[in-house]
Amino acid sequence: MPKIPVRFTLNEAEVGLFVEPQSNLLEALRRGAGDLSPKYGCGQGTCGACTVLIDGEPHLSCLTLAEAAEGRRIETTAGLAQGSSLHALQTAFIEGFAAQCGYCTPGMLMAAKALLDRNPRPSREEVIDAISGNLCRCTGYEPIVDAILAATEGRAA
Amino acid sequence: MIEIERLDDVARAPAPGPDVRVLAGGTLVMRALNYGGHGIGRILRLTDPALREIHSEGGGVRIGAAATMADVLAAPDLAALHPAAQVVGGPAIRNMATVGGNLFAPHPYGDFAMALLAANAQVHWADGRAEPIEAMLGARGRSAGIVAAVTVPRLQHSEFRFRKVSRTKPKGVSLMSIAAHLPRAGGRLGDVRIGFGAMGDRPLRATGAEQALSGRSLDPAAIDAACAACLDGLAPADDPLASEWYRRQVAPIHLRRLLEEVR
């Protein structure tokens, strides 16, 4: 089947790609746009490793039809840092040892960013809910929750 | 992919079936595609914004089939159903998973459809037909069509209860789920509706428990009778999540907790 053209904004840059019919957005981002920050984990909506923001809201890119991204605004972890300045969440994750293997980290960061963009002062319970769709097999979650809360307070975890 | 921009154009689309699947939020169809497609030839994608609307209609609320769980949670008129929407996945899934899709989600998913069963929802098909959700669920997989919306009566939050049983919190797949509509007038229950998930091949009503409660006051004797009869005619699932024996043991306990919460 012929490939399908799709255009969207990726971290504020215009992107145009040809994608395979019935392929997912994660493949388009990784293979087409060369953004390797979102990860393939389970492919079934369980792990959250592929979480990206679409028009500001968290979505699972592996369950999003690539064609459906037409005209949408996509944000990934690759767009968090501004030049050499890391995002407050990234700094808090580093300083709070909130990553071990790091595979879940891009998804965690984007789930957390969606929360903080909407609610700059979340409670611990709200943070736990925000990352409830993201699995981490290393940290036991506590350092991640602490880091997100630290980022809201402008301090290291 | 076949894109349908207006619901009125659905008649021109091929009928959904094993080889033609309707893509709404993607949580079922994309998952199948990621795992090899399982014979999916074409996908229908409906992009009519009207399919995502939630609004009052008559004495109830009409929920477009493409409304997401996040949309439900943002609708004050659907407060009674918020507990059921809130436990569908994490935030990303709730931004994607749709009410229409949930009607077709097999166990261990489909808890929202089970809540709609207890709420006595009507299912509206794109071709204009409407039927009770119980009939729609009973024919699921055997009849073709595209769901346009569901309507639910305006429910009082205090008269509707939902409980999802899972091994992990806050997000975990459902071992079973229970929803109950317990309308009361003059200290007595009216027509009670209780739904169970994971007690058969689709969300099913616990008619034994309903009969034990309807028309009675919600006292300990009525609760005892409802719990004793709650599995009448039901066949609990036996799967890697939990055995049939386990589900038979704990279903009355969870129903009792739900009912005692209302008393």
Side-chain angles (χ1 to χ4, degrees), chain B residues 167 175 238-243 247:
Chain B
R167 295 194 195 280
L175 301 186
D238 193 8
D239 57 34
L241 294 170
S243 66
R247 287 188 169 98

Side-chain angles (χ1 to χ4, degrees), chain B residues 203-246:
Chain B
L204 291 166
R205 289 172 63 185
T207 53
E210 290 177 357
Q211 288 164 14
L213 292 171
S214 294
R216 297 181 63 175
S217 60
L218 191 57
D219 54 31
I223 291 175
D224 285 346
C227 293
C230 73
L231 292 175
D232 288 358
L234 300 180
D238 193 8
D239 57 34
L241 294 170
S243 66
E244 178 189 359
W245 176 87
Y246 177 82

Side-chain angles (χ1 to χ4, degrees), chain B residues 61-92:
Chain B
V61 182
R62 183 181 178 95
I63 311 170
T68 65
M69 295 300 145
D71 293 335
V72 170
L73 289 166
D77 285 349
L78 298 173
L81 294 171
H82 286 182
Q86 182 65 38
V87 296
V88 176

Side-chain angles (χ1 to χ4, degrees), chain B residues 138-242:
Chain B
R140 190 170 72 177
R142 298 195 306 276
S143 67
I146 294 173
V147 173
V150 296
T151 49
V152 289
R154 207 167 280 278
L155 302 165
Q156 286 192 39
H157 198 179
S158 60
E159 295 180 344
F160 196 82
R161 283 291 182 277
F162 173 86
R163 182 175 284 260
K164 171 179 170 177
V165 183
S166 58
R167 295 194 195 280
T168 55
K169 308 283 184 194
K171 195 196 90 165
V173 291
S174 181
L175 301 186
M176 74 176 64
S177 53
I178 312 171
H181 184 213
L182 302 155
R184 278 196 276 194
R188 290 192 174 275
L189 292 163
D191 289 333
V192 171
R193 284 177 70 97
I194 297 175
F196 257 129
M199 293 296 167
D201 63 352
R202 61 190 185 279
L204 291 166
R205 289 172 63 185
T207 53
E210 290 177 357
Q211 288 164 14
L213 292 171
S214 294
R216 297 181 63 175
S217 60
L218 191 57
D219 54 31
I223 291 175
D224 285 346
C227 293
C230 73
L231 292 175
D232 288 358
L234 300 180
D238 193 8
D239 57 34
L241 294 170

Side-chain angles (χ1 to χ4, degrees), chain A residues 91-115:
Chain A
T91 302
F93 268 57
I94 292 168
E95 298 189 0
F97 301 100
Q100 286 187 28
C101 84
Y103 203 78
C104 73
T105 305
M108 289 286 184
L109 287 169
M110 298 319 289
K113 181 176 187 296
L115 171 67

Side-chain angles (χ1 to χ4, degrees), chain A residues 22-24 40 42-47 51 57-60 62-68 72 128-134, chain B residues 1 23 25-28 30-35 40-43 45 52 86 89-96 109 170-171:
Chain A
Q22 302 187 354
S23 64
N24 62 48
Y40 184 87
C42 65
Q44 58 178 344
T46 300
C47 74
T51 303
E57 297 292 342
H59 284 68
L60 300 180
C62 83
L63 296 183
T64 301
L65 185 70
E67 299 163 59
R72 312 290 290 273
I128 290 169
D129 180 68
I131 61 167
S132 62
N134 297 73
Chain B
M1 182 184 74
L23 176 76
T27 57
L28 297 173
M30 291 305 296
R31 171 187 169 143
L33 288 171
N34 287 344
Y35 280 77
I40 298 175
R42 285 182 291 178
I43 54 179
R45 183 163 169 258
R52 206 169 157 177
Q86 182 65 38
I93 289 284
R94 292 196 290 274
N95 284 330
M96 302 170 73
Y109 311 109
K171 195 196 90 165

